[in-house]
Amino acid sequence: MACWAAFLLSVGLVNADKLAGRTRKYKVIFSPQKFYACEMVLEEEGIYGDVSCDEWAFSLLPLDVDLLSMELPEFFRDYFLEGDQRWINTVAQALHLLSTLYGPFPNCYGIGRCAKMAYELWRNLEEEEDGETKGRRPEIGHIFLLDRDVDFVTALCSQVVYEGLVDDTFRIKCGSVDFGPEVTSSDKSLKVLLNAEDKVFNEIRNEHFSNVFGFLSQKARNLQAQYDRRRGMDIKQMKNFVSQELKGLKQEHRLLSLHIGACESIMKKKTKQDFQELIKTEHALLEGFNIRESTSYIEEHIDRQVSPIESLRLMCLLSITENGLIPKDYRSLKTQYLQSYGPEHLLTFSNLRRAGLLTEQAPGDTLTAMESKVSKLVTDKAAGKITDAFSSLAKRSNFRAISKKLNLIPRVDGEYDLKVPRDMAYVFSGAYVPLSCRIIEQVLERRSWQGLDEVVRLLNCSDFAFTDMTKEDKASSESLRLILVVFLGGCTFSEISALRFLGREKGYRFIFLTTAVTNSARLMEAMSEVKA
Amino acid sequence: MDCYTANWNPLGDSAFYRKYELYSMDWDLKEELRDCLVAAAPYGGPIALLRNPWRKEKAASVRPVLDIYSASGMPLASLLWKSGPVVSLGWSAEEELLCVQEDGAVLVYGLHGDFRRHFSMGNEVLQNRVLDARIFHTEFGSGVAILTGAHRFTLSANVGDLKLRRMPEVPGLQSAPSCWTALCQDRVAHILLAVGPDLYLLDHAACSAVTPPGLAPGVSSFLQMAVSFTYRHLALFTDTGYIWMGTASLKEKLCEFNCNIRAPPKQMVWCSRPRSKERAVVVAWERRLMVVGDASESIQFVLDEDSYLVPELDGVRIFSRSTHEFLHEVPVASEEIFKIASMAPGALLLEAQKEYEKESQKADEYLREIQELGQLTQAVQQCIEAAGHEHQPDMQKSLLRAASFGKCFLDRFPPDSFVHMCQDLRVLNAVRDYHIGIPLTYSQYKQLTIQVLLDRLVLRRLYPLAIQICEYLRLPEVQGVSRILAHWACYKVQQKDVSDEDVARAINQKLGDTPGVSYSDIAARAYGCGRTELAIKLLEYEPRSGEQVPLLLKMKRSKLALSKAIESGDTDLVFTVLLHLKNELNRGDFFMTLRNQPMALSLYRQFCKHQELETLKDLYNQDDNHQELGSFHIRASYAAEERIEGRVAALQTAADAFYKAKNEFAAKATEDQMRLLRLQRRLEDELGGQFLDLSLHDTVTTLILGGHNKRAEQLARDFRIPDKRLWWLKLTALADLEDWEELEKFSKSKKSPIGYLPFVEICMKQHNKYEAKKYASRVGPEQKVKALLLVGDVAQAADVAIEHRNEAELSLVLSHCTGATDGATADKIQRARAQAQKK
């Protein structure tokens, strides 16, 4: 609840001014919406009269030609940890806005409790304002809503596609990144917009990192060749060259040197032996072999205090892929972690457990006392509204079974050629097809959840997978190729790259709507307790 | 039809005025109009009569009666006036009756005599009384102007948004002005008054004397003044029997007319229409009606009865005890067609159509004549337009028939105007009906708009007619039918003699789920009438649960409101209800309610986390949620408490809670932390430096870095730090210190649980190749190659790898072979490989 903190800060500001006897006029602008609770706080603080409130109903920020972000990073923690549903309405309104702009969506699919709630709220909005979208030709043929907790695994993996790596290394904020002096090779930092406008970036963003350097050097050679052309030119050609091409070349030159700088910086950090070991461990976890070895790797990671966030990420990855840690490991890893990074992380573990990210394997099928309490609540008539926070206690990730069912670990004979990817697994060096993307692929192929019952059951989403198709088929074939994918709780650049690849293969065009662009570090930070 | 123009009276060169009957009045008036206070609303609105007003029969103990009639004289309401003496009546633009009392209070009544509200025209009036009042219409709404006993004016330009303006004093005004009126110019209301021979204009800042240009001399007093409907023109009646007509700005004179009557007229009003050819003023005396045109001509009528004039947008309505008439300037289209011997295209077309019906060939002749002049389109348009201005359906029909006939001979005549006229006329004829009694003209109807007309029908509770009109005009449901049904339902819930069940059922039957009908609005109305049960029943029909919440809260059905709010999925709404509930219920009940609503609970918890930490604790206590309670105290131990004792105490509470939650791990961890805190405190006291809040690992590291090795080892034993961790820790710390001697001693203290590769790595990190090499030799066979590569001994690494016959190791070494220096090694590996493959 970052907004809360900011809001309370401003309240404190007003109060401080008041104490100091200053009278000023204040204005608080709430975005994307004003909450009643905020007004209550103002009233309770007795400053309601001093502050005027406004609402900026801003919900969608286009970060790129195919990426819309709601810039609600707090969505993840608020919903998946605290069970706070306030943002669902915001999502529904954003969908409503899109459907007023682009006509109704003829085919809707979704998976996850939040997806279902958002979908239903949105439907209600549509019904209330009926007639507006009716009769419009749909421009977007499919919409797919997906909860982040359906697939934590993908979000927890280290990213190796260029854009994802840049995000992991430098943190992309609102589509732009701050390249420090080590990248710009000057003494200044530089803020760079990363989107399709950047010609160089656009060509490498979806590439596996191992290809990027080769590509960039090729590009550099081409550029040099173009520069070199001027040698043989006469005056007139030279004039042409200077007035028309030089600027573009210079621009390209600048971008190229930036990205080469970024690559170098990433290489320095990532291609150390450590990183290779890390990736190896991750792949082992995904494939489910050498668990003992991986566990001791994680332990060593913690003992050496490599990074609190990284350690936590590996623990979560282990827990989810293994359906929870065995009790001995669960205890010892936690103890080690607390000793390394401080006792306040006891709360972090409590959070992770609640969110279902780091759990203990349940002995057999006997339900613990807590779980039976939860199941009692589930049978209650309020079941539909029970928060995820509770239900996650009872659910198991079943990753291994899902992986087998959906064939997430490609069987590779020989080397996986990352230059010419065969499937979406290339975004994780050919070791793993992102679960979220695979689900989307499968559903789109079938045009429904049919035949995926087992997978849906394993995902604990039996009640929350839905398909909704309108009968009248006014949608043009053009629009049916357009798919809006909505990630509730954030999506990673790797997932975006994977789906872009799928789109190229199958002739789809994906548009992404996410509550925020996320990565493993952001997820873990959202769950961590830190001393203020 | 020759006598059709019989009631046409020429005025000036070009204009005709006609007067026709609208209704013969249905009312059974016992007294003369002159004995009543009369107010009639424009746009064919209702008529209010206050009989026996106080001032006439002060002695009589009979209370006055306020009657409200429709324009056709149908009684709408009748009530005994129980309030104070009334000075003036008037209708607002919303058809509300404003009754200005002598004490300055203005009472507002609805069309059906229902009291709405009241307001006052200021305290000053209380002493001075109101002498006279005017209700006038502005673009903002309806205004009230009063003249007090102190001869001061106060006005409000819009009674809907009451702002009283006291007008400046008129210098030397000793007695009441002989006549006055409210003027509206440039969106500002003024007062124009006449005192003796002088005219004054009052605006909110000043009082200025004005003189009408070209006024005949000899005037010693103005007896009457009239402003036109649009405030554009002004007429003054002088005691010399002259009528001066000019613009309301008093800049221009239109004409002056001597009517030779010096008696003060009873009423004087303007009779003009937009784009009038000959504007006229209608002056009424007891038995005489005079229409004076601006070309200094006049028409006279005899009044059989006491009559009352109502100015309209395009004419004047005149009603008496028996009849209700309309006087207006004949519209251009009608004049063209019906004027005697008119050769206008419309007139010819009408004639042609008549001949056609008679099956006479003359029809063709007329038609040809029009066509030869190329005026058929114009003819059709004229007929359509004229039909709109006719009052009699027969006449409307024959004109429309002519238009339709003419249309047949036109290729491309857009049908819209014809169709719309037919529709409009049907609507107009329907509302003009005797039973409805809204005698609107076409121009008035267009000015009023269909929406307002529908509102007025609804106001008169003529729901079926309103709905029929909506359906006939195919208005969108939300603006039309549903809106009217909703009004109907709101009216229905006020019928107290019908049971709740019946009302609810009747409403639901009729409304069903018509789009745009808000059941919650109807329910709110029901609640407003004190019918809570009915309101709840009605709310159940409301499909949007969010809409139900505010009213449920108002009715104190908070728990129901909570579940509805949750159903709506709108968290903000849930929150609103929660805070209501919190104030309404005692804490225990409140928590119990929350317990059954997990979504609300989590929302409230979120709020508490930021606002009311204590409440959060209570919440967990109530639920026996020891786990969260423990977490709560842990957080408190570093966020809220500062003293070490307080922190330890908080941790103790947390540990107890964790035990209760059967979370042994957390309890133990918390106890360890308590121990650590105390220890850190002691370390700070004894050794100085910063220890508090370091993790165990960092505490030990700090000790080693500070050279307190013994202490460090003691701590490690006390907290049972695993060997592996301790080795890593020491290794890193000693390397940081670059205490290579100690490191070597340490490495030899016993067999390393983490192997010796880390030693190599860490030395290399500190760029100490010499030390690194020492350890490289001790690295176990599995990692030997790596270690050798780390210290840069490629050749030896190659040997080891070949010895191991390990393909992966071979490639690793190969990848480290650079250029010329390691050429020999690379060859060696290649050979080894080849050999291995042979085997």
Side-chain angles (χ1 to χ4, degrees):
Chain A
M1 289 197 45
C3 58
W4 251 118
F7 172 69
L8 292 177
L9 203 71
S10 61
V11 169
L13 216 78
V14 177
N15 274 333
D17 268 1
K18 269 203 142 175
L19 277 179
R22 280 187 292 257
T23 41
R24 291 184 181 154
K25 288 207 164 175
Y26 306 92
K27 184 164 205 101
V28 181
I29 297 173
F30 296 94
S31 178
Q33 68 196 82
K34 183 165 75 181
F35 289 118
Y36 181 70
C38 298
E39 282 185 42
M40 282 300 299
V41 170
L42 290 178
E43 225 175 295
E44 278 177 15
E45 295 284 330
I47 51 175
Y48 190 72
D50 303 300
V51 179
S52 62
C53 296
D54 242 327
E55 200 175 53
W56 184 29
F58 149 91
S59 56
L60 295 170
L61 181 72
L63 292 183
D64 209 335
V65 283
D66 58 353
L67 176 59
L68 297 167
S69 168
M70 300 183 63
E71 290 302 312
L72 285 177
E74 55 268 58
F75 184 102
F76 181 68
R77 187 181 166 116
D78 281 356
Y79 178 76
F80 291 104
L81 178 61
E82 314 277 5
D84 185 338
Q85 302 174 0
R86 70 177 60 202
W87 300 119
I88 301 181
N89 215 0
T90 317
V91 173
Q93 264 152 12
L95 292 177
H96 182 57
L97 176 68
L98 284 177
S99 72
T100 48
L101 288 175
Y102 300 110
F105 304 110
N107 303 300
C108 305
Y109 321 96
I111 187 161
R113 186 195 297 273
C114 182
K116 192 163 187 195
M117 283 196 279
Y119 177 74
E120 280 166 3
L121 272 178
W122 166 45
R123 272 286 112 113
N124 287 347
L125 281 179
E126 301 275 288
E127 272 165 34
E128 272 172 42
E129 277 176 51
D130 215 27
E132 254 181 68
T133 53
K134 245 183 214 162
R136 278 200 56 170
R137 273 178 78 88
E139 287 177 48
I140 300 173
H142 309 265
I143 176 170
F144 198 111
L145 293 104
L146 185 111
D147 278 15
R148 184 69 268 175
D149 69 348
V150 166
D151 174 18
F152 277 138
V153 174
T154 306
L156 287 175
C157 290
S158 297
Q159 306 192 69
V160 284
V161 172
Y162 184 65
E163 190 167 11
L165 250 182
V166 171
D167 190 29
D168 276 0
T169 322
F170 306 100
R171 298 239 167 175
I172 299 177
K173 286 179 199 131
C174 287
S176 77
V177 66
D178 267 324
F179 280 137
E182 79 276 13
V183 175
T184 54
S185 48
S186 64
D187 49 354
K188 267 184 287 182
S189 284
L190 197 62
K191 204 176 189 94
V192 184
L193 269 180
L194 291 180
N195 54 35
E197 297 274 288
D198 180 340
K199 294 261 156 42
V200 178
F201 176 68
N202 199 32
E203 283 184 76
I204 52 173
R205 64 194 309 183
N206 299 317
E207 290 293 319
H208 189 271
F209 188 65
S210 59
N211 300 336
V212 173
F213 225 65
F215 175 87
L216 289 177
S217 57
Q218 178 60 43
K219 190 96 192 160
R221 274 196 294 279
N222 289 350
L223 203 61
Q224 190 58 49
Q226 276 185 296
Y227 272 122
D228 288 347
R229 273 197 309 133
R230 76 201 142 143
R231 295 236 172 93
M233 284 177 188
D234 57 27
I235 291 277
K236 200 171 170 203
Q237 284 169 322
M238 184 66 97
K239 193 177 157 203
N240 241 344
F241 176 80
V242 171
S243 66
Q244 285 168 12
E245 287 174 51
L246 195 59
K247 203 176 159 212
L249 289 179
K250 275 202 165 151
Q251 166 81 354
E252 207 166 313
H253 185 155
R254 198 181 62 87
L255 291 172
L256 201 55
S257 64
L258 260 180
H259 287 293
I260 290 174
C263 277
E264 273 174 354
S265 181
I266 291 171
M267 293 271 258
K268 243 181 246 160
K269 281 182 195 155
K270 299 282 178 176
T271 47
K272 273 192 239 147
Q273 217 180 356
D274 293 351
F275 188 62
Q276 306 229 335
E277 294 267 320
L278 187 75
I279 296 279
K280 221 175 85 191
T281 310
E282 266 179 40
H283 290 178
L285 288 176
L286 290 168
E287 285 169 51
F289 69 84
N290 285 346
I291 295 305
R292 279 275 35 102
E293 216 170 273
S294 301
T295 313
S296 41
Y297 175 83
I298 296 170
E299 201 169 346
E300 188 187 309
H301 201 272
I302 297 168
D303 284 349
R304 291 170 58 194
Q305 290 184 309
V306 178
S307 142
I309 290 298
E310 283 278 281
S311 304
L312 212 52
R313 176 174 76 85
L314 289 169
M315 285 165 76
C316 291
L317 204 54
L318 175 65
S319 165
I320 294 178
T321 50
E322 285 298 300
N323 243 343
L325 304 178
I326 53 173
K328 192 177 127 273
D329 289 344
Y330 185 57
R331 260 194 296 279
S332 83
L333 283 178
K334 280 203 298 187
T335 311
Q336 297 301 313
Y337 194 91
L338 293 180
Q339 288 188 357
S340 267
Y341 302 118
E344 66 274 16
H345 288 289
L346 198 56
L347 301 182
T348 308
F349 289 125
S350 154
N351 290 345
L352 288 169
R353 187 180 136 91
R354 200 154 15 124
L357 276 162
L358 182 60
T359 54
E360 187 176 359
Q361 270 177 21
D365 276 329
T366 54
L367 289 166
T368 63
M370 196 59 181
E371 279 169 321
S372 72
K373 192 173 158 194
V374 169
S375 62
K376 203 182 87 217
L377 276 171
V378 170
T379 53
D380 240 327
K381 66 172 188 276
K385 303 290 172 189
I386 189 176
T387 58
D388 261 8
F390 280 109
S391 59
S392 62
L393 283 176
K395 82 184 181 198
R396 323 176 67 192
S397 59
N398 300 320
F399 178 75
R400 201 70 61 220
I402 295 166
S403 164
K404 207 171 279 168
K405 266 250 136 20
L406 289 176
N407 200 14
L408 296 182
I409 312 295
R411 225 159 269 128
V412 187
D413 350 299
E415 196 78 347
Y416 189 100
D417 188 357
L418 291 167
K419 283 209 174 72
V420 194
R422 278 187 310 213
D423 52 25
M424 294 189 282
Y426 92 94
V427 301
F428 292 114
S429 312
Y432 161 66
V433 179
L435 170 58
S436 51
C437 306
R438 179 69 102 197
I439 294 174
I440 292 168
E441 178 196 21
Q442 293 292 315
V443 172
L444 285 178
E445 220 163 70
R446 294 173 165 76
R447 290 280 184 99
S448 80
W449 290 96
Q450 230 164 29
L452 293 171
D453 308 339
E454 182 63 13
V455 175
V456 169
R457 194 185 60 77
L458 288 169
L459 287 169
N460 303 303
C461 282
S462 304
D463 296 332
F464 309 113
F466 56 91
T467 321
D468 191 355
M469 287 191 234
T470 41
K471 291 202 183 68
E472 40 176 343
D473 220 345
K474 278 192 295 182
S476 60
S477 60
E478 179 72 24
S479 75
L480 282 176
R481 295 223 319 272
L482 212 55
I483 300 147
L484 178 71
V485 183
V486 184
F487 285 93
L488 299 159
C491 74
T492 64
F493 282 119
S494 295
E495 286 170 310
I496 294 176
S497 292
L499 287 175
R500 281 177 184 148
F501 171 81
L502 183 70
R504 279 195 300 276
E505 293 283 294
K506 300 274 167 89
Y508 294 134
R509 219 173 80 91
F510 285 99
I511 298 168
F512 307 96
L513 168 59
T514 176
T515 51
V517 177
T518 190
N519 61 18
S520 55
R522 291 193 191 102
L523 289 193
M524 290 297 109
E525 279 159 14
M527 290 288 155
S528 289
E529 288 291 331
V530 270
K531 276 189 226 172
Chain B
M1 203 37 75
D2 291 352
C3 57
Y4 186 72
T5 52
N7 64 348
W8 288 26
N9 299 287
L11 186 70
D13 297 333
S14 54
F16 294 90
Y17 271 74
R18 71 171 165 191
K19 192 169 73 141
Y20 57 81
E21 187 177 279
L22 295 168
Y23 305 110
S24 68
M25 293 302 268
D26 196 33
W27 56 18
D28 212 6
L29 283 190
K30 287 189 188 64
E31 48 281 277
E32 291 292 331
L33 281 178
R34 71 173 83 91
D35 295 333
C36 305
L37 267 181
V38 184
Y43 293 102
I47 303 168
L49 296 180
L50 187 65
R51 294 186 224 170
N52 320 319
W54 238 284
R55 58 166 66 171
K56 292 257 165 76
E57 294 176 39
K58 233 171 198 159
S61 60
V62 197
R63 285 183 186 281
V65 183
L66 177 67
D67 284 314
I68 300 172
Y69 298 94
S70 76
S72 60
M74 301 273 277
L76 293 174
S78 175
L79 59 133
L80 268 181
W81 188 258
K82 292 178 185 160
S83 201
V86 177
V87 175
S88 178
L89 294 176
W91 291 93
S92 74
E94 293 85 33
E95 296 202 324
E96 285 178 324
L97 183 63
L98 308 175
C99 311
V100 187
Q101 294 194 145
E102 212 173 71
D103 58 2
V106 181
L107 277 59
V108 185
Y109 285 87
L111 200 60
H112 297 278
D114 44 322
F115 177 74
R116 292 273 167 85
R117 63 201 153 92
H118 72 98
F119 57 88
S120 162
M121 291 303 287
N123 292 329
E124 177 224 6
V125 193
L126 277 176
Q127 296 167 0
N128 294 325
R129 309 271 110 182
V130 179
L131 285 186
D132 198 2
R134 294 274 196 288
I135 282 98
F136 58 98
H137 301 276
T138 67
E139 50 263 82
F140 313 112
S142 310
V144 177
I146 56 164
L147 169 64
T148 69
H151 310 306
R152 294 289 299 268
F153 289 92
T154 301
L155 68 77
S156 162
N158 180 9
V159 293
D161 173 26
L162 196 69
K163 276 190 201 106
L164 292 180
R165 252 192 12 233
R166 200 156 173 240
M167 304 307 263
E169 210 169 343
V170 181
L173 184 61
Q174 292 302 323
S175 59
S178 56
C179 57
W180 63 279
T181 186
L183 261 180
C184 239
Q185 278 169 334
D186 305 329
R187 309 171 68 84
V188 183
H190 308 277
I191 299 279
L192 182 69
L193 68 151
V195 183
D198 303 317
L199 284 175
Y200 296 97
L201 188 67
L202 292 181
D203 57 24
H204 52 277
C207 165
S208 42
V210 285
T211 32
L215 185 69
V219 176
S220 61
S221 172
F222 294 95
L223 299 180
Q224 190 67 267
M225 59 173 74
V227 192
S228 66
F229 202 77
T230 51
Y231 293 105
R232 220 168 281 149
H233 299 103
L234 178 73
L236 300 165
F237 192 93
T238 67
D239 59 347
T240 50
Y242 272 76
I243 298 171
W244 181 91
M245 289 189 239
T247 56
S249 56
L250 288 166
K251 292 219 171 79
E252 217 180 295
K253 175 178 153 185
L254 289 174
C255 81
E256 203 167 328
F257 179 79
N258 186 356
C259 65
N260 291 322
I261 301 172
R262 290 181 177 229
K266 249 184 66 193
Q267 256 185 308
M268 176 166 82
V269 299
W270 278 89
C271 176
S272 64
R273 57 171 163 85
R275 288 183 303 279
S276 174
K277 283 187 189 168
E278 179 83 30
R279 291 180 198 84
V281 168
V282 182
V283 195
W285 287 269
E286 209 62 18
R287 283 286 176 265
R288 193 204 300 258
L289 190 74
M290 191 183 276
V291 183
V292 181
D294 59 9
S296 299
E297 286 189 29
S298 73
I299 313 162
Q300 301 222 9
F301 295 99
V302 175
L303 291 175
D304 301 329
E305 282 179 298
D306 190 14
S307 298
Y308 188 83
L309 309 181
V310 189
E312 290 278 7
L313 175 73
D314 55 350
V316 176
R317 282 190 292 135
I318 305 160
F319 64 84
S320 66
R321 266 167 50 151
S322 58
T323 60
H324 195 155
E325 294 175 308
F326 188 61
L327 170 71
H328 73 144
E329 182 185 340
V330 176
V332 181
S334 309
E335 189 192 315
E336 295 266 296
I337 291 176
F338 294 114
K339 204 162 67 179
I340 293 167
S342 167
M343 291 298 277
L348 291 175
L349 181 60
L350 183 63
E351 214 49 44
Q353 199 269 335
K354 277 182 195 153
E355 295 300 333
Y356 173 72
E357 265 178 17
K358 282 190 230 155
E359 298 181 7
S360 149
Q361 92 287 7
K362 271 194 187 160
D364 185 49
E365 278 172 32
Y366 284 127
L367 210 54
R368 260 177 218 288
E369 198 175 333
I370 309 172
Q371 271 172 327
E372 270 160 24
L373 291 168
Q375 288 179 325
L376 191 52
T377 311
Q378 200 194 337
V380 172
Q381 274 163 352
Q382 250 175 15
C383 284
I384 293 173
E385 206 191 320
H389 295 298
E390 287 310 311
H391 189 68
Q392 292 301 327
D394 287 345
M395 205 60 218
Q396 296 164 0
K397 276 185 204 160
S398 62
L399 282 164
L400 285 173
R401 231 177 272 130
S404 156
F405 175 71
K407 244 154 50 86
C408 300
F409 300 95
L410 282 169
D411 279 345
R412 252 178 260 112
F413 186 83
D416 297 10
S417 60
F418 183 77
V419 173
H420 287 152
M421 183 55 80
C422 291
Q423 287 177 338
D424 289 341
L425 280 175
R426 273 199 79 171
V427 172
L428 279 175
N429 289 336
V431 300
R432 282 172 190 166
D433 185 275
Y434 188 80
H435 295 93
I436 311 297
I438 305 180
L440 281 178
T441 65
Y442 182 75
S443 322
Q444 289 166 18
Y445 168 66
K446 283 292 149 192
Q447 179 75 21
L448 202 61
T449 72
I450 182 69
Q451 294 304 340
V452 179
L453 178 60
L454 286 173
D455 282 344
R456 299 204 158 175
L457 289 175
V458 165
L459 214 58
R460 285 165 172 75
R461 299 182 189 145
L462 298 167
Y463 305 106
L465 176 64
I467 289 177
Q468 274 171 4
I469 290 179
C470 292
E471 281 168 354
Y472 174 65
L473 294 179
R474 297 211 187 92
L475 293 182
E477 283 210 324
V478 180
Q479 296 169 30
V481 177
S482 336
R483 202 165 59 100
I484 291 155
L485 281 174
H487 277 291
W488 167 78
C490 288
Y491 168 62
K492 189 85 186 162
V493 297
Q494 295 168 27
Q495 296 178 343
K496 303 218 167 171
D497 46 336
V498 189
S499 79
D500 290 347
E501 280 79 20
D502 293 347
V503 173
R505 205 176 320 115
I507 288 177
N508 183 240
Q509 246 165 28
K510 196 142 282 175
L511 270 61
D513 42 5
T514 324
V517 169
S518 161
Y519 276 98
S520 49
D521 288 353
I522 303 168
R525 187 62 70 90
Y527 176 64
C529 304
R531 301 181 75 166
T532 313
E533 286 309 312
L534 175 59
I536 292 174
K537 281 202 171 61
L538 287 170
L539 274 183
E540 274 162 24
Y541 295 119
E542 172 67 58
R544 291 162 299 169
S545 30
E547 295 290 309
Q548 308 173 355
V549 174
L551 187 61
L552 284 172
L553 278 184
K554 227 199 233 163
M555 300 193 298
K556 304 250 180 293
R557 296 289 199 283
S558 312
K559 285 186 189 170
L560 190 56
L562 183 61
S563 41
K564 293 290 182 192
I566 290 171
E567 228 170 79
S568 80
D570 183 344
T571 44
D572 213 28
L573 206 59
V574 177
F575 208 87
T576 317
V577 182
L578 275 182
L579 293 180
H580 254 274
L581 272 174
K582 188 179 147 204
N583 295 332
E584 204 173 278
L585 303 175
N586 66 41
R587 221 174 169 77
D589 288 347
F590 178 54
F591 286 173
M592 280 311 283
T593 314
L594 283 182
R595 217 167 157 175
N596 298 324
Q597 301 284 9
M599 187 246 198
L601 181 62
S602 66
L603 204 65
Y604 188 64
R605 241 191 245 133
Q606 280 286 84
F607 172 73
C608 288
K609 263 185 198 164
H610 295 275
Q611 278 293 299
E612 293 177 14
L613 279 175
E614 282 306 301
T615 317
L616 187 64
K617 198 171 75 184
D618 295 346
L619 259 175
Y620 291 142
N621 257 325
Q622 162 102 7
D623 281 357
D624 289 336
N625 191 343
H626 297 295
Q627 173 66 33
E628 285 301 324
L629 212 52
S631 300
F632 175 84
H633 287 294
I634 295 263
R635 196 171 289 114
S637 81
Y638 61 79
E641 292 287 345
E642 286 190 6
R643 291 170 315 114
I644 201 91
E645 292 78 15
R647 296 181 59 176
V648 171
L651 287 173
Q652 183 62 56
T653 330
D656 293 347
F658 285 137
Y659 275 123
K660 278 189 201 149
K662 302 213 167 50
N663 188 341
E664 303 252 338
F665 174 82
K668 284 259 153 47
T670 310
E671 282 170 351
D672 281 350
Q673 174 58 15
M674 285 158 62
R675 236 161 16 109
L676 183 63
L677 262 184
R678 288 205 193 97
L679 203 109
Q680 285 172 334
R681 167 72 167 278
R682 211 162 60 230
L683 288 175
E684 279 192 5
D685 286 350
E686 290 170 18
L687 307 174
Q690 179 79 34
F691 283 99
L692 275 178
D693 281 332
L694 292 181
S695 71
L696 180 61
H697 188 112
D698 293 341
T699 312
V700 179
T701 308
T702 316
L703 281 173
I704 295 176
L705 290 177
H708 309 288
N709 278 326
K710 280 249 169 63
R711 290 250 190 186
E713 264 160 42
Q714 182 62 39
L715 199 64
R717 268 199 302 280
D718 285 353
F719 284 88
R720 286 196 292 274
I721 293 182
D723 256 4
K724 275 188 182 174
R725 170 187 292 280
L726 196 62
W727 276 71
W728 273 114
L729 190 157
K730 268 195 155 173
L731 171 62
T732 323
L734 290 174
D736 277 352
L737 284 174
E738 301 196 30
D739 189 346
W740 305 115
E741 205 176 315
E742 185 67 29
L743 183 64
E744 192 168 357
K745 234 179 7 193
F746 169 60
S747 77
K748 286 174 180 161
S749 62
K750 63 179 193 180
K751 190 174 175 295
S752 163
I754 52 172
Y756 292 93
L757 185 62
F759 282 77
V760 181
E761 282 172 0
I762 225 136
C763 292
M764 286 311 290
K765 214 183 225 163
Q766 302 286 348
H767 307 291
N768 193 332
K769 206 168 182 172
Y770 173 74
E771 288 292 329
K773 275 189 174 161
K774 275 190 204 164
Y775 299 107
S777 60
R778 295 165 67 182
V779 172
E782 284 154 41
Q783 292 173 316
K784 193 108 190 180
V785 174
K786 266 190 204 166
L788 288 169
L789 284 176
L790 264 175
V791 298
D793 197 341
V794 183
Q796 212 186 333
D799 290 344
V800 177
I802 292 167
E803 196 183 312
H804 285 173
R805 290 184 188 162
N806 183 321
E807 181 58 37
E809 281 180 11
L810 284 172
S811 351
L812 186 69
V813 178
L814 203 54
S815 71
H816 275 76
C817 291
T818 45
T821 47
D822 300 320
T825 320
D827 289 347
K828 205 161 138 193
I829 293 172
Q830 296 294 11
R831 274 201 306 278
R833 260 193 179 164
Q835 234 170 15
Q837 264 160 12
K838 259 185 221 162
K839 281 175 188 171

